[in-house]
Amino acid sequence: MDFESKANDPSPRDNIEFAQPTTTRKPLQLLRDIEALLRRPTVATLAPILPPKLSNRFQVTSSLADESFKELAEIDLNTISDFELRPARILVGLSLVGFGALMILVLLLYLNTLHPELSTVEKIRQYWYQYIWFVSLGVTGMFVLGREAMRPMPKRRK
């Protein structure tokens, strides 16, 4: 009987070559195509079921999405500089901080109005999970803003 493993045997299967794509599409074109493949059958399925007014709005929204994604797919991501993305990164950071703070306030309002019978310890014990999520969102936003503040500014030309 041969008890040695054959998994370690060298074989010609180690040098498998994978097929290369014939055409490379940009990520935004790929996003447009995948979104259209998902959206169009959904619209075709739901449009007959919906009321006529809502169905018309649904189809108009679908055609608007087609146009928007067509424009989006024409953007060349390689031409966007790091400096041009700075306002978007700042807005994302501020949004995370603001949403986290707002949700903590909503959680406190909820606990104080709908559960006044619970003690502070019981409130913390029951709702710690949500509190941690909202604090984590705020901390993430602060990290994004701190990272953006530490980025070197591009030198201005004279």
Side-chain angles (χ1 to χ4, degrees):
M1 286 193 187
D2 186 16
F3 291 110
E4 290 187 26
S5 172
K6 294 185 181 187
N8 295 333
D9 289 344
S11 64
R13 289 180 279 151
D14 294 338
N15 296 330
I16 297 175
E17 291 187 26
F18 293 100
Q20 298 296 326
T22 56
T23 60
T24 57
R25 291 190 291 183
K26 296 179 189 176
L28 294 177
Q29 290 173 341
L30 191 61
L31 174 69
R32 175 196 62 194
D33 296 341
I34 291 172
E35 188 275 339
L37 285 173
L38 294 172
R39 179 179 33 84
R40 289 179 185 142
T42 305
V43 170
T45 303
L46 293 177
I49 300 171
L50 296 172
K53 188 175 180 181
L54 187 58
S55 176
N56 289 339
R57 285 186 179 178
F58 199 51
Q59 291 173 348
V60 167
T61 304
S62 178
S63 64
L64 183 63
D66 272 333
E67 295 169 10
S68 298
F69 274 110
K70 183 180 177 185
E71 291 176 14
L72 185 66
E74 293 173 0
I75 296 173
D76 185 16
L77 295 177
N78 295 329
T79 61
I80 300 174
S81 70
D82 191 46
F83 183 70
E84 291 173 332
L85 292 175
R86 184 181 183 125
R89 287 191 296 262
I90 291 172
L91 285 175
V92 167
L94 289 173
S95 298
L96 288 171
V97 170
F99 184 75
L102 178 68
M103 292 311 296
I104 288 174
L105 288 175
V106 169
L107 180 64
L108 289 174
L109 180 66
Y110 171 78
L111 292 175
N112 289 330
T113 56
L114 296 179
H115 297 291
E117 72 280 356
L118 296 177
S119 69
T120 305
V121 174
E122 290 172 335
K123 289 177 186 176
I124 292 171
R125 186 178 300 130
Q126 276 188 320
Y127 293 96
W128 68 271
Y129 192 77
Q130 290 84 357
Y131 176 76
I132 295 300
W133 267 104
F134 302 146
V135 168
S136 296
L137 280 175
V139 170
T140 302
M142 293 301 290
F143 272 111
V144 170
L145 291 173
R147 181 174 180 255
E148 195 57 39
M150 290 188 292
R151 278 184 193 268
M153 290 292 293
K155 296 181 180 179
R156 295 184 180 176
R157 296 179 185 171
K158 293 182 181 180

